[in-house]
Amino acid sequence: MANGIPSNLDAVRERIARAAAAHGRAPESVTLIAVSKTKPAAAIAEAHRAGQLDFGENYAQEAAAKIEALAGLPLRWHFIGRIQSNKTALIARHFDWVHTVDRLKIARRLAGHRADGPPLNVLVQVNIDDDPAKGGVAPDAAGNLVDAMHGLAGLRLRGLMAVLERAGDAESSYRRVRALFDGLADQGGNDWNVLSMGMSGDLEAAVAAGATQVRVGTAIFGSR
């Protein structure tokens, strides 16, 4: 984008701060994840120099190369794309967070590949709008998946993630994700405290509904 990555980051952080303040929340209660898919390692390094620590990637092989290239930087890596079974080993090896678990088969494979080292932070992706173009478990099936994932060694179940359909009512959809998140709190356990939702165009609505992580790409790095 014309203003450059550091100034774009400042602008997004200011948007988050204003949205949080408008709803009686502290800005630091919302973690900004810079979505760096298709962007080069140099752009990620520039964002890090501007104070950004959390980065989101959609494609396992592309991300692995960048993660290895930037191994000397203290970054936190979030996998936010659809998970193919044959990529679970790569994802479990390289990422700190996985936002898009929507099947028990995938959860088990990730757990099996994370036997060593710290637990992998995972979120259950919910398809709140029943959008056939989006991944995610149906809202009424989310509780069963949460229950089934408990006890999987190597995973730390943290909360929910949602991606909305573009034509939908973001404010209403995010409120429904929050209601589901709250309703699953007892099942989720002590670490159930993360709600990942909101992107460049609607992060204010997500923060208003209680998002603790927002995933922003275009407003930071420009169009893909």
Side-chain angles (χ1 to χ4, degrees):
M1 296 175 73
N3 293 332
I5 290 171
S7 57
N8 291 339
L9 274 168
D10 286 343
V12 171
R13 290 168 182 150
E14 179 58 28
R15 287 174 63 190
I16 292 171
R18 287 198 305 267
H23 296 278
R25 301 180 60 191
E28 56 269 23
S29 69
V30 184
T31 298
L32 171 60
I33 299 170
V35 179
S36 48
K37 64 180 179 182
T38 77
K39 300 301 178 181
I44 297 170
E46 183 178 0
H48 173 258
R49 289 193 293 273
Q52 183 63 26
L53 297 178
D54 291 86
F55 293 87
E57 292 281 337
N58 288 58
Y59 310 114
Q61 286 178 294
E62 173 198 323
K66 289 187 279 189
I67 292 169
E68 290 173 358
L70 297 167
L73 299 180
L75 308 180
R76 288 185 292 264
W77 294 97
H78 301 249
F79 189 80
I80 60 173
R82 285 198 176 185
I83 304 173
Q84 297 174 289
S85 295
N86 63 352
K87 296 295 192 299
T88 50
L90 194 63
I91 293 167
R93 184 164 67 249
H94 284 92
F95 285 85
D96 305 294
W97 288 77
V98 176
H99 290 229
T100 47
V101 177
D102 60 3
R103 289 170 288 159
L104 183 57
K105 172 186 175 181
I106 292 297
R108 285 173 171 160
R109 289 181 68 94
L110 289 170
H113 293 302
R114 192 75 174 208
D116 300 321
L120 181 63
N121 295 289
V122 295
L123 303 177
V124 169
Q125 182 179 358
V126 60
N127 191 334
I128 200 68
D129 295 317
D130 192 26
D131 181 355
K134 299 288 189 295
V137 64
D140 60 2
N144 289 337
L145 181 55
V146 167
D147 285 341
M149 287 173 62
H150 279 302
L152 289 178
L155 301 186
R156 185 182 179 200
L157 184 58
R158 302 298 305 274
L160 296 182
M161 177 268 209
V163 180
L164 303 190
E165 57 178 338
R166 294 185 183 277
D169 178 348
E171 191 170 329
S172 172
S173 294
Y174 286 142
R175 284 199 301 267
R176 285 186 283 121
V177 179
R178 171 61 187 272
L180 180 63
F181 173 81
D182 289 343
L184 293 172
D186 288 342
Q187 292 171 250
N190 293 335
D191 293 328
W192 189 262
N193 56 15
V194 176
L195 193 51
S196 170
M197 58 187 190
M199 297 186 289
S200 292
D202 61 12
L203 69 84
E204 286 84 1
V207 172
T212 65
Q213 295 180 348
V214 295
R215 310 177 307 271
V216 177
T218 302
I220 296 171
F221 295 108
S223 300
R224 295 193 298 279

